[in-house]
Every structure is written in C-alpha cells, then in structure tokens.
Amino acid sequence: MASEPSLSAPKGTRDLLPPESWAWQKVIRLGMDMFADAGYAPMDTPLFEHTEVFERGVGEATEVVGKQMYTFIDRGDRSLTLRPEGTAPVMRSVLEHSLHRGALPVKLAYAGPMFRQERPQKGRYRQFWQIGIEAIGSESPLADAEVIELAMRFYEAIGLEVKLLLNSIGHPGEDCRLGYGKVLAAYLTEHEAELAGVDRARIASNPLRTFDSKEEPTVAVMAGAPLITDHICDGCKAHHAQVTSALDGLGVEFEAAPKLVRGLDYYMRTAFEFVAGGLGSQNAAGGGGRYDGLAELLGGPRIPGIGFALGLDRIMLSLSEQDQSQQTGEMAAYVVALDEKHAGPALEMATRLRRAGLATDLDLMTRGLKGQMKAAARSGARYTVILGAEEAGPGSFLVKDMTSGEQEVVDGPDLEGRLTR
Ligand code: HAM
C-alpha cells in the first residue's frame, strides 16, 4: 500500500525561504555584477552531465567522484550524474562550442546548485549553491591574481571576513608533484603503523590526500611530513612567486598554506581556499585553483585555466552569524484602498507604479483599512499611497511617508516623481 508522501525535503536538502532568500538573491546579483565588471560573462550548464565528464575531469580517485556523486541511468540507458561541481562542465562546454578558438581568455561566471551525497551537517548539504568564475586560456600568473582578488573583493563587498590560504601544488611531472608524491609515500610508509586505519590505503592511491585527514593519529604524522613547496619544479616555483608578488601589488593578503592540497584531481600549480569564521569544521567558504590539464583529461587540446567557486550556503550561514539583521525586498510603495470600491483602482495604481519601475505591493486579501495599513508597514515600503481618502480630491492621492509618518496630497501626474524623491 502506498504510504503518505513525506512533506520534508530530502535529507541534506532544504528550502530557501524569505527572508533569507532575499539576502541570497542580493548576494548572487552583487557577485555576478562584480564579475561582469571584470569581463566575466554569465553562463549556465545543465544540472546533469554524462558521468564521464566528472570521472575524467575531477578524477575517479577523488572522494567527490568515488563516494559522493548522484549517478543514475536514464531511460535511454545513459549514465548521467547531477553535477557535483561546475568547473568540469564549464570546460566541457568550452570544448563543445569551441570557445577556446575565439578571443582568449574565455571568462565565464555562474551561480547554481551542485550535488554531493555527503554526510549532512552544519554548512554541509547534499544540494548546495556555488557562485564561481573561470578564466580559460591564460597561463599567466596575472590571471591567478585577477581571479583571487575578485573573490576577496566579493567577500569584502558582502561584509564577510575571510582568510585566504594559498599554495602551489606543482604540476604532474616526475620532477615536480609526482616526484613529491613518492617522497611523501615513502615518509607515510615509514610511519604506516602510526596512521589511522582509513588513511593507510591512501599511501598507494592518493598520498597527498592524507593532508586532509581529520583523524588525530594521521594529523600528528602529517605535522612532520615533507612539504610540496620544497619539491616543486623551477617553472612552478617561478609561477608561484609571480602570483604572490602580483597579489602583494594588489594589496591582497594571504597566508602560505603548504599543506593545502584540494580535493579535485584537475588542479595544478595555484591552489587556494577562503576560510570563514562561525562555520565549525566546514569553514571553507570557497576555493579554487589552476587546472591547466583539465581540457586534455576531457579529450580536448591543452587549454590552461583558473577559477574559483564560493559556497553560498556557507557564506550566508557565516554572514547570519555575523549579522542577525533581517533582510527584506525593497518596496517603494504600498497601495491602500480606503474602501472596497477602491480595490480595483488600487490594483490599477499598483500596476501603473510597477510599469514606471517602482517596486509596489498591495493587499490581495480584502483587508479593511487598518489591516492594509499594517500590511503596508510590514512590507517595508517607503510610501503608502491611499486611494479614496476624502482629503484628496478627484485625480489626486494621499501619500504617507512611512519613515516620518507625514501625509500629503499629491496630484495624479506628480505621483511617480514624488515617490522617487
Ligand atoms: P570545492 O572546494 O569542491 O571546489 O567547492 C567550492 C566550495 O563549495 C567550498 O569551499 C564550499 O564552500 C562549497 N561546498 C562544497 N561542498 C559543499 C557542501 N556539501 N555543502 C555546502 N557547501 C559546499 C570546487 O567545486 C571547484 N569547482 C572550484 C573551482 C572553480 N576550481 C576552479 N574553478
């Protein structure tokens, strides 16, 4: 027998409701506008992709691909996956549409939901939002600096204090990260008995990931581990030095984080994370890095790229810990009908004001005058326009300034002008 449908959203997902949704939308708009002002055009990719986009792009050995993907077979027997992140899809899209054959770099920005089947906790969800940018086609360390500065300016604009952690993880060459991987694996083998059980398997598969372990015994071993920064090649070292000097030139402060390795396989050279307060263990409010090998992993030519994605859920959570003030949409006017006869004209007036570009609301619950005035106050509107008031003659209206409480009669044709003052 079919049971009652559950009314709760699936585990790890949630509804985004007012008033939070207002603040949320404002933050996205601010970000997309700020990124556009630096040349990043808005774009969207599908919420699902062929599974291999992530298997090849993000890497099968990663936690994201190995353990967290929502993968399903559709009715056409295709393996599809809800996107766990946005960078591989953006690169897939660049390759599909040959955007890399046009003017470079291709600068793109996006905001939307991502999906990972992680264990839900504060700041960690199964559907979460990211806002991000990707600069594709430039190998210049100046692109790294531009991208990082934009993220920092975005956080500053929304009033969230973050710390920038910066590292270089080299490139996958024997004289660089691969060589380092062997040095690290040797160190880990030496200390194998001291490592937490779950981390022992990583020595062979992905030794760098042991830096992300939260297991006490492993953390203790990693404190003495050789660092990647001492083992990267001269080319990667020079790139990193140019990134840090460009950031210095822009006045962007950072903390060197030689143990920051990031969880996605496509990264090389620059890797960074933004850490915020009030989030407990899920304190990464965003992250990114350079992915010069990603296009090749997806079957395309070599196309360098760098970008970031910022976690909106964590940003909003951290902001709300900082600032409890309620956010609402901004209303310019609320139209009130003195009696039932003026209800129709009230809708016409609200429509007239909306057409003039003024955010306007009105009562649709057939409330009495008192109820409407209460609703007007609740709406946060700057002015209330009252229809049918005796003191206003035909063709004019009573306007109440909701901040000062003052009322005045305004001639019909002057109304829009008065409300924008
Ligand atoms: P990521 O570090 O996996 O990087 O994710 C970026 C941000 O998304 C994280 O710092 C965090 O704020 C947020 N996030 C990740 N997982 C969750 C979750 N389960 N719940 C809530 N928030 C979460 C990427 O995804 C890369 N694509 C970033 C990038 C862009 N690299 C280059 N370009």
Side-chain angles (χ1 to χ4, degrees):
M1 209 168 70
S3 57
E4 287 282 310
S6 166
L7 290 182
S8 27
K11 189 172 170 187
T13 72
R14 63 213 179 105
D15 300 309
L16 187 59
L17 299 172
E20 199 198 351
S21 49
W22 289 112
W24 191 278
Q25 204 180 44
K26 214 158 122 184
V27 163
I28 293 175
R29 249 190 236 139
L30 184 147
M32 294 303 279
D33 286 348
M34 179 180 276
F35 304 153
D37 284 350
Y40 291 81
M43 68 103 67
D44 268 314
T45 61
L47 292 192
F48 55 86
E49 295 275 349
H50 292 293
T51 301
E52 59 182 27
V53 168
F54 304 110
E55 283 175 349
R56 291 163 66 166
V58 176
E60 292 193 77
T62 60
E63 300 259 301
V64 170
V65 172
K67 297 192 183 152
Q68 300 172 350
M69 293 207 300
Y70 283 100
T71 296
F72 58 98
I73 305 293
D74 79 355
R75 287 165 202 270
D77 225 14
R78 283 166 288 252
S79 176
L80 300 170
T81 293
L82 295 184
R83 62 180 187 192
E85 62 99 48
T87 311
V90 168
M91 188 58 94
R92 192 270 308 139
S93 172
V94 165
L95 292 170
E96 175 178 345
H97 303 286
S98 296
L99 301 184
H100 57 291
R101 301 226 175 88
L104 294 178
V106 182
K107 288 176 156 191
L108 299 166
Y110 53 87
M114 309 289 161
F115 308 85
R116 297 182 191 176
Q117 192 166 352
E118 296 194 74
R119 197 166 44 79
Q121 65 179 78
K122 183 179 175 187
R124 188 159 74 190
Y125 308 99
R126 293 183 167 176
Q127 174 172 335
F128 58 95
W129 271 64
Q130 285 185 346
I131 181 166
I133 64 171
E134 312 291 350
I136 292 172
S138 168
E139 218 154 358
S140 167
L142 296 180
D144 306 35
E146 171 179 288
V147 161
I148 292 171
E149 190 276 338
L150 260 175
M152 289 302 275
R153 192 143 44 87
F154 168 77
Y155 285 121
E156 196 186 327
I158 61 170
L160 184 64
E161 249 178 68
V162 297
K163 190 163 69 180
L164 163 60
L165 304 180
L166 183 68
N167 195 18
S168 171
I169 56 166
H171 80 283
E174 279 301 332
D175 58 337
C176 202
R177 189 165 68 221
L178 291 183
Y180 167 72
K182 287 178 188 157
V183 173
L184 182 62
Y187 172 84
L188 293 172
T189 309
E190 211 178 293
H191 293 85
E192 193 166 352
E194 300 155 55
L195 291 176
V198 287
D199 292 316
R200 281 183 206 142
R202 287 193 169 135
I203 300 178
S205 65
N206 206 343
L208 268 68
R209 297 296 298 163
T210 40
F211 280 113
D212 285 341
S213 175
K214 304 264 187 294
E215 306 288 328
E216 275 299 325
T218 306
V219 173
V221 172
M222 298 323 282
L227 297 174
I228 194 159
T229 24
D230 299 327
H231 290 84
I232 58 175
C233 70
D234 290 345
C236 288
K237 261 187 201 146
H239 184 95
H240 191 58
Q242 284 171 285
V243 173
T244 55
S245 98
L247 288 175
D248 286 341
L250 297 173
V252 174
E253 285 177 23
F254 60 88
E255 188 176 302
K259 291 182 179 156
L260 178 74
V261 290
R262 305 276 299 139
L264 314 168
D265 275 359
Y266 51 59
Y267 288 119
M268 56 179 283
R269 294 194 161 173
T270 308
F272 54 87
E273 243 164 45
F274 306 99
V275 177
L279 290 172
S281 66
Q282 303 305 309
N283 64 353
R290 185 162 271 289
Y291 45 84
D292 297 352
L294 173 59
E296 280 170 307
L297 290 172
L298 294 176
R302 184 184 158 82
I303 310 168
I306 173 136
F308 63 67
L310 315 180
L312 273 166
D313 303 76
R314 292 186 192 172
I315 288 173
M316 300 315 286
L317 202 60
S318 193
L319 271 181
S320 70
E321 308 256 321
Q322 265 183 25
D323 170 18
Q324 293 294 336
S325 68
Q326 277 226 337
Q327 303 257 6
T328 52
E330 271 152 39
M331 280 288 151
Y334 195 98
V335 182
V336 163
L338 198 79
D339 48 40
E340 224 172 290
K341 209 169 69 211
H342 288 89
L347 177 60
E348 284 165 22
M349 171 59 78
T351 307
R352 166 179 150 184
L353 297 178
R354 287 169 183 164
R355 285 181 179 152
L358 291 161
T360 306
D361 208 352
L362 80 161
D363 174 56
L364 295 174
M365 301 302 293
T366 357
R367 288 191 177 88
L369 181 60
K370 223 166 125 192
Q372 290 182 63
M373 290 310 287
K374 262 196 202 157
R378 223 178 14 243
S379 78
R382 175 111 171 66
Y383 296 102
T384 299
V385 178
I386 302 161
L387 267 60
E390 249 174 44
E391 46 275 65
S396 50
F397 306 96
L398 188 62
V399 172
K400 180 175 178 184
D401 182 325
M402 300 297 278
T403 323
S404 67
E406 278 168 29
Q407 304 199 131
E408 67 180 287
V409 174
V410 179
D411 266 351
D414 300 340
L415 193 59
E416 282 86 347
R418 178 65 194 87
L419 297 181
T420 40
R421 243 200 289 139

